[in-house]
Every structure is written in C-alpha cells, then in structure tokens.
Amino acid sequence: QVQLVESGGGSVQPGGSLRLSCIASGFTFDSYGITWYRQGSGLEREAVAHIANVLGLTQYADSVNDRFTISRDNVKNTVYLQMDSLKPEDTAMYYCNTPQWARRGVYWGRGTQVIVSS
C-alpha cells in the first residue's frame, strides 16, 4: 500500500526557515522522481520542486528558485524540502507525490501546513 507522509510544517516569520520531510512506503522509492506541491487557500495546487530518481537532478518553480532546496535519502525513503527566506506567499499546504500519481489524482497524503506571517 503506497503511503506518503509529510511533516515539518509550522508557523514562521518572513525570512525564516523550515525543513519539510516526506516519508514514502509501499513502493520502490528509488525508482521514482518525487515532487513537492503546494496549495494555498483558494488557489490551485502547484509543483514547487522536483528531484529525479537518477542522479538526483532537481528542478524548481521560479517562485522558489534560490530559496528552496530539495533532496532525497534513498536509504530512508525520504525526500526533504529545505525552505529558506520564507515569504508570506509561501503560505500553503505542502504535499509530496510522484508526477505520475499526481496526474492520476492518487496517493495524496494529508500534507503539512506552512504559515509565513509576522
């Protein structure tokens, strides 16, 4: 049974940092690239960072480039999202998933809430 469990969210002031974790189980983790998505209130879900399964190649949305860093630990079946220089517009629920499953609308976890406010 595929499970993706996000954690590490919280409430921080602008300019602060958070580190999100996504623990995966029920599938061959190192065979899949993983994407972090976010959904702000009243907004559509958007992809913010992706890490490939091979070579750990990364991609970022323009809105988070140079502030967020995605990484993975294939021994721990975990993907991380280090978020620095946080802005109020980063406030959202954050989720992880594979792009393939995200397009099918399956295996979404409960997400982790990030609030950036002074």
Side-chain angles (χ1 to χ4, degrees), residues 71-90:
S71 60
R72 65 188 295 158
D73 184 333
N74 287 342
V75 174
K76 295 182 178 179
N77 282 11
T78 302
V79 175
Y80 304 98
L81 186 68
Q82 177 67 41
M83 306 188 297
D84 299 317
S85 301
L86 282 161
K87 303 176 180 180
E89 51 263 45
D90 295 319

Side-chain angles (χ1 to χ4, degrees), residues 1-70:
Q1 179 181 356
V2 172
Q3 280 195 312
L4 295 159
V5 180
E6 303 91 350
S7 65
S11 183
V12 297
Q13 292 187 339
S17 297
L18 285 172
R19 188 193 196 205
L20 307 185
S21 298
C22 164
I23 300 176
S25 60
F27 63 101
T28 306
F29 180 73
D30 58 8
S31 293
Y32 289 84
I34 301 291
T35 300
W36 278 100
Y37 300 84
R38 69 184 181 187
Q39 187 168 20
S41 179
L43 301 174
E44 292 194 356
R45 191 172 290 169
E46 62 172 345
V48 296
H50 175 80
I51 186 164
N53 60 313
V54 178
L55 302 180
L57 297 177
T58 59
Q59 294 176 289
Y60 298 93
D62 289 344
S63 58
V64 306
N65 202 21
D66 294 330
R67 298 189 299 119
F68 289 11
T69 304
I70 189 171

Side-chain angles (χ1 to χ4, degrees), residues 84-106:
D84 299 317
S85 301
L86 282 161
K87 303 176 180 180
E89 51 263 45
D90 295 319
T91 295
M93 189 71 80
Y94 284 72
Y95 305 86
C96 60
N97 208 337
T98 76
Q100 301 92 319
W101 296 337
R103 283 192 291 270
R104 290 169 51 196
V106 298

